[in-house]
Amino acid sequence: MLAIINGTILTMAGAPIPRGTVLADNGKILQVGQDIKVPVQAEIIDATGKIVMPGLIDAHTHVGIMEEIYRIEGDDTNETTDPVTPHLRAIDAVNPQDLGFQDALAGGVTTVVTGPGSANIVGGQMVAMKTHGTVVDEMIIRFPAGLKCALGENPKRVYGSKKMPATRMASAALLRETLAAAQIYLAKQEQAGTEGAKAPDRDLKLEAVGRVLKGEIPLRVHAHRADDIMTAVRIAREFNVDLVIEHCTEGHLIAPWLAKAGVKAVVGPIISNRAKVELMNRSLETAMALFRHGVPFALMTDHPVVPVNYLSLSAALAVKGGLPEEEALKALTINAAKLLGLANRIGSLEPGKDADIIVLDRPLLDPRHRVEKVIVGGCQVIN
């Protein structure tokens, strides 16, 4: 049993609790509040003068898949032999020994979403996982956490000289073609179950896409430019699927349209230069524009594009762009958890949720802050 006492608790589910207590046992939070009786057997952390809050969530990374200190040896980000690979599973590439996980913990990040890169129109299945553990299987929170797709410059650059897609039209066509094939596959399966027809042979590609069509997971589409974002919105509407826009760099230019379409976004990386043409209109005000128009969003580092331990700094820059501080904190905690469909487990300090907790010497958005303690699933991993 663990008791964190006397700290200012940011539950992310209500008002801050001064001189509060968080009581946890067996990896779960038992109580949060003031005047909580602490059992004598509890291990006590005195957080007097400190900030206590939920572990941070980085909603889009390549931690464990794109290992920083390697080239070919540790880079399993993009399967550049085929533009449509929905059957790839991030969990088969994640190396828990990647130094990125240590960086995540040092930055207070206790959950990441990691997955394939953006070379392919359909890249594969993403995973939401804790940043502490020995093997992937014990770190998984949700798998699959979404089907990674990509529009814009990247697929064109990788495949255009060899095969489709060489144009944005071809990129959209390949995505539609894949979704349509999965519709037919699901229809044949259903027909076989009700009419005695022969079931189709198992197809791992179409099976993965079928999870999107059945509403089990979202279509998570890499799109920077406004026109690419709206292409993703158009296709999602055609196939009636849940859509998350990854990066959403020009989202501030079309925020009312995104709100009307009911899509979600994972914004970032915020600490970035104009490395390619589609980043021309990058802005610190993107998150604020989405917030103003009611578009649900989380923030990302895209690690190792930006080191995962700079997630809080990314949020601080979004505040510089006009985002209210409370909303910036939510984008790293409870709102990120909601976007991922994991708010029942992570994102806030409430009874019954995972005991993923960080202790800071000062507010998170102050760039001088230090993460002094990190608890993942009730286990102190930085103390």
Side-chain angles (χ1 to χ4, degrees):
M1 184 171 288
L2 179 67
I4 305 174
I5 64 173
N6 297 329
T8 298
I9 303 173
L10 306 184
T11 67
M12 305 313 302
I17 301 173
R19 294 191 63 80
T21 296
V22 180
L23 191 63
D25 193 27
N26 292 323
K28 297 290 182 180
I29 296 171
L30 298 180
Q31 291 179 274
V32 181
Q34 293 178 320
D35 302 321
I36 293 174
K37 185 176 180 180
V38 178
V40 294
Q41 72 270 26
E43 178 184 353
I44 294 176
I45 295 175
D46 188 347
T48 300
K50 312 295 183 183
I51 304 293
V52 181
M53 64 180 295
L56 308 183
I57 303 167
D58 194 332
H60 176 124
T61 75
H62 306 287
V63 177
I65 294 178
M66 185 187 293
E67 301 177 55
E68 293 176 79
I69 62 172
Y70 299 106
R71 297 296 182 264
I72 295 174
E73 301 90 342
D75 185 358
D76 293 294
T77 319
N78 290 297
E79 180 60 45
T80 56
T81 59
D82 185 341
V84 178
T85 56
H87 55 321
L88 300 188
R89 302 178 181 185
I91 56 175
D92 295 326
V94 173
N95 177 10
Q97 302 305 314
D98 178 17
L99 296 176
F101 288 108
Q102 295 179 30
D103 292 340
L105 292 170
V109 179
T110 56
T111 298
V112 294
V113 174
T114 191
S118 51
N120 291 356
I121 298 300
V122 185
Q125 300 162 71
M126 306 172 82
V127 60
M129 61 190 298
K130 298 294 179 73
T131 54
H132 174 69
T134 305
V135 298
V136 171
D137 306 71
E138 69 175 0
M139 300 163 73
I140 293 171
I141 310 176
R142 183 185 182 191
F143 177 79
L147 184 64
K148 176 67 183 296
C149 301
L151 298 173
E153 293 180 21
N154 288 15
K156 287 177 56 181
R157 182 179 63 252
V158 173
Y159 292 101
S161 63
K162 300 175 285 187
K163 61 173 80 171
M164 287 178 68
T167 65
R168 281 180 162 81
M169 293 180 290
S171 295
L174 282 173
L175 183 51
R176 282 192 181 94
E177 184 177 76
T178 303
L179 288 164
Q183 280 183 327
I184 295 170
Y185 180 72
L186 292 179
K188 287 181 177 179
Q189 285 186 323
E190 185 176 354
Q191 185 180 30
T194 58
E195 301 178 13
K198 184 179 183 299
D201 292 339
R202 188 179 184 190
D203 187 317
L204 292 178
K205 286 187 174 184
L206 299 181
E207 190 175 283
V209 182
R211 295 190 182 98
V212 174
L213 293 170
K214 290 187 288 186
E216 296 174 1
I217 59 173
L219 195 68
R220 301 189 54 162
V221 182
H222 161 113
H224 288 284
R225 222 167 71 174
D227 56 342
D228 292 322
I229 295 170
M230 291 309 300
T231 294
V233 170
R234 193 178 310 117
I235 293 172
R237 185 185 298 123
E238 289 173 22
F239 291 90
N240 190 31
V241 299
D242 185 21
L243 175 65
V244 179
I245 298 295
E246 309 291 308
H247 304 299
C248 203
T249 301
E250 291 189 353
H252 57 286
L253 302 180
I254 52 171
W257 290 89
L258 298 180
K260 184 178 179 180
V263 303
K264 307 176 187 72
V266 182
V267 178
I270 293 172
I271 306 171
S272 175
N273 64 358
R274 299 179 183 88
K276 48 188 175 180
V277 173
E278 61 189 7
L279 298 182
M280 178 179 65
N281 290 314
R282 65 178 180 83
S283 171
L284 296 182
E285 299 177 6
T286 300
M288 178 56 189
L290 297 181
F291 168 66
R292 184 186 298 122
H293 289 278
V295 178
F297 70 93
L299 298 178
M300 68 152 91
T301 61
D302 203 17
H303 177 95
V305 177
V306 171
V308 63
N309 46 311
Y310 291 169
L311 181 62
S312 59
L313 181 57
S314 300
L317 288 173
V319 171
K320 182 177 181 180
L323 186 66
E325 289 189 13
E326 183 178 0
E327 295 304 319
L329 294 177
K330 287 180 178 179
L332 307 184
T333 54
I334 188 60
N335 285 354
K338 289 177 180 177
L339 185 146
L340 298 173
L342 294 171
N344 63 321
R345 287 192 58 181
I346 59 175
S348 62
L349 300 182
E350 297 179 87
K353 291 197 174 183
D354 294 2
D356 296 346
I357 307 165
I358 58 176
V359 179
L360 313 171
D361 69 339
R362 65 189 75 201
L364 182 75
L365 298 178
D366 185 332
R368 298 170 300 172
H369 80 265
R370 293 185 60 190
V371 178
E372 295 190 346
K373 297 185 185 298
V374 179
I375 295 103
V376 182
C379 175
Q380 289 193 66
V381 296
I382 293 181
N383 53 34

